[in-house]
Amino acid sequence: MIVVMKKSATKEEISNVEKMLSDLGFKTHPITGEVKTVIGAIGDKRQVNMQSLSHMPGVETIVPIMKPYKLAGRELKQDPTIVEVGDVKIGGREIIVMAGPCAIENEDIYMSTALEVKKAGAKILRGGAYKPRTSPYSFQGLEEEGLKILSRAREATGLKIVTEVVDTRDVETVASYADILQIGARNMQNFRLLKEVGMIGKPVLLKRGLSATIEEWLMAAEYIIAEGNPNIILCERGIRTFETATRNTLDISAIPVIKELSHLPVVVDPSHAAGTWKYVNSLSKGAVAAGADGLIIEVHFDPSTALSDGPQSLKPVHFTQLMKELEPVAHAVGREI
Amino acid sequence: MIVVMKKSATKEEISNVEKMLSDLGFKTHPITGEVKTVIGAIGDKRQVNMQSLSHMPGVETIVPIMKPYKLAGRELKQDPTIVEVGDVKIGGREIIVMAGPCAIENEDIYMSTALEVKKAGAKILRGGAYKPRTSPYSFQGLEEEGLKILSRAREATGLKIVTEVVDTRDVETVASYADILQIGARNMQNFRLLKEVGMIGKPVLLKRGLSATIEEWLMAAEYIIAEGNPNIILCERGIRTFETATRNTLDISAIPVIKELSHLPVVVDPSHAAGTWKYVNSLSKGAVAAGADGLIIEVHFDPSTALSDGPQSLKPVHFTQLMKELEPVAHAVGREI
Amino acid sequence: MIVVMKKSATKEEISNVEKMLSDLGFKTHPITGEVKTVIGAIGDKRQVNMQSLSHMPGVETIVPIMKPYKLAGRELKQDPTIVEVGDVKIGGREIIVMAGPCAIENEDIYMSTALEVKKAGAKILRGGAYKPRTSPYSFQGLEEEGLKILSRAREATGLKIVTEVVDTRDVETVASYADILQIGARNMQNFRLLKEVGMIGKPVLLKRGLSATIEEWLMAAEYIIAEGNPNIILCERGIRTFETATRNTLDISAIPVIKELSHLPVVVDPSHAAGTWKYVNSLSKGAVAAGADGLIIEVHFDPSTALSDGPQSLKPVHFTQLMKELEPVAHAVGREI
Amino acid sequence: MIVVMKKSATKEEISNVEKMLSDLGFKTHPITGEVKTVIGAIGDKRQVNMQSLSHMPGVETIVPIMKPYKLAGRELKQDPTIVEVGDVKIGGREIIVMAGPCAIENEDIYMSTALEVKKAGAKILRGGAYKPRTSPYSFQGLEEEGLKILSRAREATGLKIVTEVVDTRDVETVASYADILQIGARNMQNFRLLKEVGMIGKPVLLKRGLSATIEEWLMAAEYIIAEGNPNIILCERGIRTFETATRNTLDISAIPVIKELSHLPVVVDPSHAAGTWKYVNSLSKGAVAAGADGLIIEVHFDPSTALSDGPQSLKPVHFTQLMKELEPVAHAVGREI
């Protein structure tokens, strides 16, 4: 940590800050510049709320040097984490595609879609039973009945299933059906929920919050790993910006940034990023070429009647076409799909 | 709802859309322009996911005409809601100030701060027992022990208390101690939690999400009102932007916008908006002059040792000074404080 | 400047960086932490592109310590700058209101509006002769003919005039008519134009760019001062965010931030921030209470026929009312209006 | 255009709006809903400032139906524009790579870099002679001397050259040296400059503004085309968001959005988007796979000594490697490079 003192700081103020740092267990190294003094403070004290020092007279600003995440970072674990869901491996050479409708609406439509995405080459089936919806008047999901449909779809297709959990009270139930628990963007900083999925131990798909920085996203992962669960798949799904041509702005740079900062695999959700199916093909190819470990794509048998996220869902025919087009792109960057 | 058809839409596509709208229960009114056709669709069908129609061939875009919120909006309820917390009224002529530390750290410091904010003129005492923290290594709050301290501070000062609830499993416990339940920014779209505080019936302080639009914020309020609880105080606390000189950007325009769109009272949290105590005085006066119904301000007996949000906490001496300076500002806009 | 080395940096990499810094004229102070080494580099070398050092092997990041602006900052000049426009002083005890239509459309309407804003208490008259418009098909301004109308309005009212210049080729012409030259938001980083208005020496109203950080805004001011012109009035006019309820988001925190970082006066443009006249009253009061040195407000005799910015223009009756309501607010914060 | 009337609008207010629209030359089609009335107004009146109607009593909001751009849009011109720069064609099957240093610093370094990028497969050479720099103390470019170096580099390599113009007064000079005139992000809404490059007729590389919407970007292109110059290459270079891990956020979705809305070619600048060379490889591949027509990449012979943008410049060895890796990606999406 570096404490930058104001130009106007007195000698006494500087020595008070040094004393405080020393009392907190840091070794201090003051550097007197031509204009300002900065104090280097050595020691990694995560439990100390260092920003509070900014209240001391003469302090201009505090500059942290260490990353705030530890277990989610590359510094302690160099080799990439591969999350294993049965025989499906996320983070390895193979690019894994997860697909399916936003919400499970009824068994027939769901099964039809599931069979189509399986045929097209998806390895994991998605579908929401508990739906976080902006409006209380929108369809809120079939809840446990939805989980049962998911379970039957797994049997019918052999695909693994990923589904969202939105309440600490449901974690056990959802975990008893799902292969991967999804934490949605709106719950990325629902820290209690993060702790619960950390304790349950199953693989977690952790979506980036609507306006979460990459650092906050890794800190959310840190909550889960700190409970003993390192099986985390990060999911970039677009961030909120001023641009309205798309529902969100896909932050494709998050892929190389995560690869540099963390050992966790990262997948991309082009459907929520774009908000319209027309751009999903382009974004999916871009994500794979940029280094994503997988994709999660909304596919619906009849999007114009979907109760949730219809506009951004691909029809099976377009999904099948996309899967074909992704193959050479994956090969071009040395991956399989 | 208005459906805008593409320039290239065929007659058949237009009539298919008309038929679909009609099947969904809308009356349709097509308008054939020089370049494009638009179809007006009459009928307020909240349960229909109209955006899914954008999948129909020839459709360019869907323009909703009705606001998505109903109970939180001004259209159905013109007169302003006054939330009563015992004899404290929020949304009336009096501007209500809530103050206290971010987190309850220990009883002595908390009591000292409580007595100071009472003396300075605050009407409601704040303090967190369950803390949502970005890092799992930060102080997470005293939990129920904190609620007990809060309760004793209420007895000692006669102030009402507001405290945050972060988990559906804690709603009953927190409600048994608190006068106002706070929903934090990170939980603004934790819809299960919104429903629970809706059912419990106590006044709710609903903070705006870090990057929530005003419409989404009112939809969150709608979740609570839809459960039968209209006692909601909206709290603007800054939004996330590119500017880093402040922790967040206080969206002061949210005050007149909310006053136009909703009947609910709105208070401002200048502490979280600024992220540094130095700007709290200026922002508090600005908020009151712009029409806020109250303020919620972080005050700590010794901010440089605070375990949470020290940099943005006022010392009691500065808070007392601020309260004095707010009085003429309140009078200037026809309010009391 | 602080150079943070990677955890994996070798001794040789560290000494190479020290050598490079030394060659560039810095004194170096390495601090070896438990995990990382940081190197303090003393010396204020503005002409060195220090960020390029990040290319050296082993370097993690570069942290600047000095503010990049010098003449616009508080560190070298503590007392506030008062910009004098004849007998009108901006930055002193009096809050100065500038008002008038967005664009000068014709002499009659302009004169009528000018007389009204004068009567209501404005001290400076605004009006655009060269209009930067998003669309090439929109009204682009009367150009020099507009400047002549402005000039006659000055004679008729005795008010000072402020008008925008958008092209280096027009600076002399505009300066021969105007009392204050306005640099619009879209030209805040038109560095050639900044240099020209710096050389011409007349007072400059420097609007903040649509998404300029406060630091970039002060750097734009630095361009003007560096040419010898310190008569700069900063103008906060809203920044671009995700929120669409207002045209821009008024960053009211910019007022106390500028007061801390700079000696220059700061005024607020609530009209462009809000984008709709309904919120101008609330935002104007908020800005004055928060410490703004003035306001610039769009007023139009008949906004529903305005060729530019009609929706955000006040009618004279509302402007007159606002001026009355601002008086007690100004007094409440120890200012005159 | 659709005018939405308030729920509370009276019959008289509705008929006043109808009358006004009719006076402005629109045909009106009122639709009376259960709650609100909307008025469809037919006629494409670009010269009318329709938003001003929002001032009329009873009006809630105005919804435009037509795109504001005409010549830059797909509706009037379906087939993609191919910009020809001698024998180099941008917007066709071949992906065109432009490369070179940010600024021309001296002839030796520039020539060395130029020869390397030529060898690696770039078709167009970049280099700035007039540099828009955030700080007045930074290197501002060699001006006409730089253009001469560029010109000699063209002779030596046979590559076409692209360079930025920042002042209306320089357009003729720059155009006499350059093959493509670049409009930088900070000048995207310098409308006078847009008109000048429109009149000069040479190909223009139009960078997206730091926080320009895609619509505003196309409107900037419209300014150039409206002067008779359709040879525009759009360049996505990252937008400003809250995320600080990268200098800007590459908006990769802009590629498919532009392809849908416009006939103009679009290239991507991964260097300015990322702000650090480490992410350029990943972003370049992502952009090509997503459908970009080209790339513009900063390459410098010795980035650690670069006077501008060193951190984001690739060394020739990394650029050569990238060009090799781009080939299979281009083929995977049916393109050449």
Side-chain angles (χ1 to χ4, degrees):
Chain A
M1 179 176 62
I2 303 286
V3 181
V4 182
M5 302 299 294
K6 284 180 192 160
K7 191 189 164 208
S8 61
T10 63
K11 279 194 179 171
E12 201 193 338
E13 287 168 352
I14 294 169
S15 86
N16 284 344
V17 171
E18 282 193 79
K19 189 173 174 317
M20 171 67 100
L21 287 168
S22 174
D23 289 354
L24 289 168
F26 293 94
K27 282 189 224 160
T28 60
H29 291 256
I31 302 175
T32 308
E34 290 163 11
V35 183
K36 295 177 185 175
T37 294
V38 305
I39 305 170
I42 294 179
D44 182 12
K45 313 282 168 199
R46 275 163 217 274
Q47 73 282 19
V48 177
N49 185 13
M50 297 173 294
Q51 292 297 332
S52 290
L53 291 177
S54 66
H55 253 287
M56 293 192 72
V59 173
E60 185 172 294
T61 188
I62 313 280
V63 182
I65 298 299
M66 299 296 291
K67 305 278 186 225
Y69 42 83
K70 205 167 53 174
L71 306 170
R74 271 250 186 233
E75 291 186 346
L76 287 182
K77 181 178 185 297
Q78 298 279 351
D79 54 312
T81 290
I82 294 178
V83 176
E84 301 194 11
V85 188
D87 56 343
V88 177
K89 293 186 174 61
I90 300 159
R93 196 164 183 275
E94 194 188 1
I95 287 161
I96 301 299
V97 178
M98 316 181 190
C102 179
I104 303 154
E105 297 161 5
N106 74 54
E107 187 149 1
D108 284 355
I109 292 181
Y110 193 75
M111 280 294 177
S112 308
T113 311
L115 292 166
E116 293 275 3
V117 303
K118 154 87 175 180
K119 208 167 70 186
K123 292 286 160 62
I124 295 172
L125 189 59
R126 62 155 292 157
Y130 301 87
K131 295 301 308 165
R133 302 300 299 274
T134 304
S135 167
Y137 310 120
S138 297
F139 175 63
Q140 307 272 321
L142 296 181
E143 309 203 342
E144 194 162 356
E145 181 50 33
L147 297 174
K148 287 178 183 157
I149 296 174
L150 261 185
S151 187
R152 290 193 286 271
R154 172 171 45 197
E155 279 167 49
T157 61
L159 298 175
K160 306 295 172 197
I161 59 180
V162 56
T163 195
E164 183 166 357
V165 57
V166 299
D167 191 327
T168 50
R169 297 172 300 189
D170 302 331
V171 171
E172 254 182 84
T173 306
V174 176
S176 72
Y177 291 94
D179 298 301
I180 305 175
L181 294 170
Q182 177 178 322
I183 299 291
R186 284 166 187 76
N187 281 312
M188 193 205 82
Q189 291 193 316
N190 184 335
F191 301 113
R192 290 296 193 85
L193 189 58
L194 297 178
K195 284 181 185 175
E196 289 294 329
V197 301
M199 285 183 287
I200 212 89
K202 281 217 166 177
V204 176
L205 182 80
L206 178 64
K207 289 202 151 190
R208 182 177 182 182
L210 275 79
S211 68
T213 61
I214 289 174
E215 187 169 295
E216 289 169 340
W217 189 18
L218 289 175
M219 288 308 286
E222 189 85 4
Y223 261 93
I224 299 170
I225 309 186
E227 296 295 335
N229 182 357
N231 299 304
I232 301 169
I233 306 150
L234 298 168
C235 178
E236 161 64 33
R237 42 77 73 203
I239 56 174
R240 185 158 273 185
T241 72
F242 62 84
E243 178 57 66
T244 56
T246 43
R247 183 174 174 185
N248 296 289
T249 296
L250 180 65
D251 182 8
I252 197 164
S253 316
I255 300 170
V257 173
I258 287 292
K259 290 291 173 197
E260 186 192 14
L261 299 179
S262 176
H263 51 83
L264 296 170
V266 59
V267 304
V268 164
D269 175 346
S271 307
H272 281 86
T276 172
W277 68 273
K278 288 176 292 184
Y279 307 143
V280 168
N281 184 295
S282 161
L283 296 184
S284 297
K285 290 178 197 163
V288 167
D293 295 306
L295 296 166
I296 178 163
I297 296 175
E298 291 193 340
V299 179
H300 193 286
F301 208 75
D302 182 9
S304 66
T305 65
L307 296 179
S308 178
D309 284 349
Q312 69 199 36
S313 299
L314 290 185
K315 292 182 189 171
V317 57
H318 292 133
F319 178 66
T320 304
Q321 177 66 20
L322 170 59
M323 289 298 287
K324 270 184 208 139
E325 292 178 22
L326 282 173
E327 207 178 309
V329 178
H331 293 166
V333 292
R335 307 284 287 260
E336 295 301 323
I337 194 161
Chain B
M1 179 174 63
I2 302 287
V3 180
V4 182
M5 302 299 294
K6 285 180 192 160
K7 193 190 164 206
S8 59
T10 63
K11 280 195 180 171
E12 199 193 340
E13 287 168 351
I14 294 169
S15 85
N16 284 344
V17 171
E18 282 194 79
K19 187 169 176 317
M20 170 68 100
L21 288 167
S22 175
D23 289 353
L24 289 168
F26 293 95
K27 283 188 222 159
T28 59
H29 292 256
I31 302 176
T32 308
E34 289 163 11
V35 183
K36 295 178 185 175
T37 294
V38 305
I39 305 170
I42 292 179
D44 182 13
K45 315 281 168 201
R46 275 165 216 274
Q47 73 282 17
V48 177
N49 185 14
M50 297 173 296
Q51 292 298 331
S52 291
L53 291 177
S54 65
H55 254 287
M56 294 191 70
V59 173
E60 184 171 295
T61 188
I62 313 281
V63 182
I65 298 299
M66 300 297 291
K67 305 277 186 225
Y69 42 84
K70 201 166 59 172
L71 305 170
R74 271 250 186 235
E75 291 186 347
L76 287 183
K77 182 177 185 298
Q78 297 279 348
D79 55 313
T81 290
I82 294 180
V83 175
E84 302 193 11
V85 187
D87 56 344
V88 177
K89 292 184 172 63
I90 299 159
R93 195 163 182 275
E94 195 187 0
I95 286 161
I96 300 300
V97 177
M98 316 182 190
C102 180
I104 303 155
E105 296 160 6
N106 74 55
E107 186 147 4
D108 285 355
I109 292 181
Y110 193 74
M111 280 295 176
S112 308
T113 310
L115 291 165
E116 293 275 4
V117 304
K118 154 87 175 179
K119 209 166 71 185
K123 292 286 160 62
I124 294 172
L125 189 59
R126 62 155 291 156
Y130 300 86
K131 296 301 307 166
R133 302 300 299 275
T134 304
S135 166
Y137 310 119
S138 297
F139 176 63
Q140 308 271 320
L142 296 180
E143 308 204 342
E144 192 160 358
E145 181 49 34
L147 296 175
K148 288 178 183 159
I149 295 174
L150 260 186
S151 188
R152 291 194 286 270
R154 170 170 49 195
E155 279 167 47
T157 59
L159 297 175
K160 308 295 174 198
I161 59 178
V162 56
T163 196
E164 182 166 357
V165 57
V166 299
D167 192 326
T168 48
R169 296 172 300 188
D170 303 330
V171 171
E172 252 181 86
T173 306
V174 177
S176 72
Y177 290 94
D179 298 302
I180 306 175
L181 294 170
Q182 178 179 320
I183 298 291
R186 283 166 187 75
N187 280 312
M188 194 204 83
Q189 291 193 317
N190 183 335
F191 301 113
R192 289 295 193 87
L193 189 58
L194 297 178
K195 284 181 185 175
E196 288 294 327
V197 302
M199 285 185 285
I200 210 91
K202 282 218 163 176
V204 176
L205 183 80
L206 178 64
K207 289 202 151 190
R208 181 177 182 182
L210 275 80
S211 68
T213 63
I214 289 174
E215 188 170 294
E216 288 168 340
W217 190 15
L218 290 175
M219 289 308 286
E222 189 86 4
Y223 261 93
I224 299 171
I225 311 186
E227 295 296 335
N229 183 357
N231 299 304
I232 300 168
I233 306 152
L234 298 168
C235 178
E236 161 64 32
R237 43 77 72 202
I239 55 173
R240 185 156 274 184
T241 71
F242 62 83
E243 177 57 67
T244 56
T246 44
R247 184 173 173 184
N248 295 289
T249 296
L250 180 65
D251 182 9
I252 197 164
S253 317
I255 300 171
V257 173
I258 287 291
K259 290 290 172 197
E260 187 192 15
L261 299 179
S262 175
H263 51 84
L264 295 171
V266 59
V267 304
V268 164
D269 174 347
S271 309
H272 280 86
T276 171
W277 68 273
K278 289 176 292 184
Y279 307 143
V280 168
N281 185 294
S282 161
L283 296 184
S284 296
K285 290 178 195 163
V288 167
D293 295 305
L295 297 167
I296 179 163
I297 296 174
E298 290 194 339
V299 179
H300 193 285
F301 208 75
D302 182 8
S304 67
T305 66
L307 296 179
S308 178
D309 283 350
Q312 70 199 36
S313 299
L314 289 185
K315 292 182 190 170
V317 58
H318 291 134
F319 178 65
T320 305
Q321 178 66 21
L322 170 59
M323 288 298 288
K324 273 187 203 134
E325 292 179 22
L326 283 173
E327 208 179 309
V329 178
H331 293 166
V333 293
R335 307 285 286 261
E336 297 300 323
I337 193 161
Chain C
M1 179 175 63
I2 303 286
V3 180
V4 182
M5 301 298 294
K6 285 180 192 160
K7 194 191 163 205
S8 60
T10 63
K11 280 194 180 170
E12 200 192 339
E13 286 168 351
I14 294 169
S15 85
N16 284 345
V17 172
E18 282 193 79
K19 191 175 172 315
M20 171 67 100
L21 287 167
S22 175
D23 289 352
L24 289 168
F26 292 95
K27 283 188 222 158
T28 59
H29 293 255
I31 302 176
T32 309
E34 289 163 12
V35 184
K36 295 177 185 175
T37 294
V38 306
I39 305 170
I42 294 179
D44 182 12
K45 314 283 168 197
R46 277 166 215 274
Q47 72 282 18
V48 177
N49 185 15
M50 298 172 295
Q51 292 297 332
S52 290
L53 291 177
S54 66
H55 253 288
M56 293 190 71
V59 173
E60 184 172 296
T61 187
I62 313 281
V63 182
I65 298 298
M66 301 296 292
K67 304 278 187 223
Y69 41 84
K70 203 165 57 172
L71 306 170
R74 272 248 186 236
E75 291 186 347
L76 287 182
K77 181 178 185 297
Q78 296 280 348
D79 54 311
T81 291
I82 294 179
V83 176
E84 301 193 11
V85 187
D87 57 343
V88 177
K89 293 185 173 62
I90 300 159
R93 197 165 180 273
E94 194 187 359
I95 286 161
I96 301 300
V97 177
M98 317 181 190
C102 180
I104 303 155
E105 296 160 6
N106 74 53
E107 188 148 2
D108 284 356
I109 291 182
Y110 193 75
M111 279 295 177
S112 310
T113 310
L115 291 166
E116 294 275 5
V117 303
K118 154 88 174 178
K119 210 167 71 185
K123 292 288 160 60
I124 295 171
L125 190 59
R126 62 155 291 157
Y130 300 86
K131 297 300 309 165
R133 302 300 298 276
T134 304
S135 166
Y137 310 120
S138 297
F139 175 63
Q140 307 271 321
L142 296 180
E143 308 203 342
E144 194 162 358
E145 181 49 33
L147 296 175
K148 287 177 182 158
I149 295 174
L150 260 186
S151 187
R152 291 193 287 271
R154 169 169 50 195
E155 281 168 47
T157 60
L159 298 175
K160 306 296 173 198
I161 58 179
V162 56
T163 196
E164 182 167 357
V165 56
V166 298
D167 192 325
T168 50
R169 297 172 300 187
D170 302 330
V171 171
E172 254 182 85
T173 305
V174 176
S176 72
Y177 290 94
D179 299 301
I180 305 175
L181 295 169
Q182 177 179 320
I183 298 290
R186 283 167 188 76
N187 280 312
M188 194 203 82
Q189 291 193 316
N190 184 335
F191 301 113
R192 290 295 192 86
L193 189 59
L194 296 178
K195 284 182 184 175
E196 289 293 328
V197 300
M199 286 185 284
I200 211 93
K202 283 217 164 176
V204 176
L205 182 81
L206 178 63
K207 291 202 150 191
R208 182 177 182 182
L210 275 81
S211 68
T213 62
I214 289 174
E215 187 169 295
E216 289 169 340
W217 191 16
L218 290 174
M219 289 308 286
E222 189 86 5
Y223 261 94
I224 299 171
I225 311 185
E227 296 294 335
N229 183 357
N231 300 304
I232 301 170
I233 306 151
L234 298 169
C235 178
E236 161 63 35
R237 43 77 72 203
I239 56 173
R240 184 157 274 185
T241 71
F242 62 84
E243 178 57 67
T244 56
T246 43
R247 182 173 174 185
N248 295 289
T249 296
L250 180 65
D251 182 9
I252 197 164
S253 317
I255 300 171
V257 173
I258 287 291
K259 291 290 173 197
E260 187 193 14
L261 299 179
S262 176
H263 50 84
L264 296 170
V266 59
V267 304
V268 164
D269 174 347
S271 308
H272 281 85
T276 171
W277 68 273
K278 289 176 293 184
Y279 307 143
V280 168
N281 185 295
S282 161
L283 296 184
S284 297
K285 290 178 195 163
V288 167
D293 295 306
L295 296 168
I296 179 163
I297 295 174
E298 291 194 339
V299 179
H300 193 285
F301 208 75
D302 182 8
S304 67
T305 66
L307 296 179
S308 178
D309 283 349
Q312 69 199 37
S313 298
L314 289 185
K315 292 181 189 172
V317 58
H318 291 134
F319 178 66
T320 304
Q321 178 65 21
L322 170 60
M323 289 299 287
K324 271 186 205 136
E325 292 178 21
L326 283 173
E327 207 178 310
V329 178
H331 293 165
V333 292
R335 307 284 287 261
E336 296 301 323
I337 194 161
Chain D
M1 180 174 60
I2 302 286
V3 180
V4 181
M5 302 298 295
K6 285 180 191 160
K7 192 191 163 207
S8 60
T10 63
K11 280 194 178 170
E12 201 192 338
E13 287 167 351
I14 294 169
S15 86
N16 284 345
V17 171
E18 282 193 79
K19 189 175 174 314
M20 171 67 98
L21 287 168
S22 175
D23 289 353
L24 289 169
F26 292 95
K27 283 189 221 159
T28 60
H29 292 257
I31 303 175
T32 308
E34 289 162 12
V35 183
K36 296 176 184 176
T37 294
V38 304
I39 305 171
I42 292 180
D44 182 12
K45 314 282 169 200
R46 275 164 216 273
Q47 73 281 18
V48 177
N49 184 13
M50 298 173 295
Q51 291 298 331
S52 291
L53 291 177
S54 66
H55 253 287
M56 293 192 71
V59 173
E60 185 173 294
T61 188
I62 313 281
V63 182
I65 298 298
M66 300 295 291
K67 305 279 186 224
Y69 41 84
K70 203 166 55 173
L71 305 170
R74 271 250 187 235
E75 291 185 347
L76 287 182
K77 180 176 185 299
Q78 297 279 351
D79 54 314
T81 290
I82 294 179
V83 176
E84 301 194 10
V85 188
D87 57 343
V88 178
K89 293 186 174 60
I90 301 159
R93 194 161 183 275
E94 194 187 0
I95 287 161
I96 300 300
V97 178
M98 315 182 190
C102 179
I104 303 155
E105 297 161 6
N106 74 53
E107 187 149 2
D108 284 355
I109 291 181
Y110 193 76
M111 280 294 176
S112 308
T113 311
L115 292 166
E116 293 276 3
V117 304
K118 154 87 175 180
K119 211 167 68 186
K123 292 287 160 63
I124 295 172
L125 189 60
R126 62 155 290 157
Y130 301 86
K131 296 302 307 166
R133 301 300 298 274
T134 304
S135 166
Y137 311 119
S138 297
F139 175 63
Q140 307 271 320
L142 296 179
E143 309 203 341
E144 193 162 357
E145 181 50 34
L147 297 175
K148 287 178 183 158
I149 295 174
L150 261 185
S151 186
R152 290 194 286 270
R154 170 171 46 196
E155 280 167 47
T157 60
L159 298 176
K160 307 295 172 196
I161 60 179
V162 57
T163 196
E164 183 167 356
V165 58
V166 298
D167 191 326
T168 49
R169 296 171 301 188
D170 302 331
V171 172
E172 252 181 86
T173 305
V174 177
S176 72
Y177 291 94
D179 299 300
I180 305 175
L181 294 169
Q182 177 179 322
I183 298 291
R186 285 166 187 76
N187 281 311
M188 192 204 83
Q189 291 192 316
N190 184 335
F191 300 113
R192 288 297 193 85
L193 190 59
L194 297 178
K195 285 182 184 174
E196 289 294 329
V197 300
M199 286 184 286
I200 211 89
K202 281 218 165 176
V204 176
L205 183 79
L206 178 63
K207 289 202 151 189
R208 182 177 180 182
L210 275 79
S211 67
T213 62
I214 289 174
E215 188 169 296
E216 289 168 340
W217 189 17
L218 289 175
M219 289 309 286
E222 189 86 4
Y223 261 93
I224 299 170
I225 310 186
E227 296 295 335
N229 183 356
N231 299 304
I232 301 169
I233 306 151
L234 298 169
C235 178
E236 160 63 33
R237 43 77 72 202
I239 56 173
R240 185 157 274 184
T241 71
F242 62 84
E243 178 57 67
T244 56
T246 43
R247 183 175 176 184
N248 296 289
T249 296
L250 180 65
D251 182 8
I252 196 163
S253 317
I255 301 170
V257 173
I258 287 291
K259 290 289 172 199
E260 187 192 14
L261 299 178
S262 175
H263 51 83
L264 296 170
V266 59
V267 304
V268 164
D269 175 347
S271 308
H272 280 86
T276 172
W277 68 272
K278 289 175 291 184
Y279 308 143
V280 168
N281 184 294
S282 161
L283 296 183
S284 297
K285 290 178 198 164
V288 167
D293 295 306
L295 297 167
I296 178 163
I297 295 174
E298 290 193 340
V299 179
H300 193 285
F301 207 75
D302 182 8
S304 67
T305 66
L307 297 178
S308 178
D309 284 348
Q312 69 199 36
S313 298
L314 289 185
K315 291 181 191 171
V317 58
H318 292 134
F319 177 66
T320 304
Q321 177 65 22
L322 170 60
M323 289 298 288
K324 270 185 207 138
E325 292 178 23
L326 283 172
E327 208 179 308
V329 178
H331 293 165
V333 293
R335 308 283 287 260
E336 296 301 323
I337 193 161

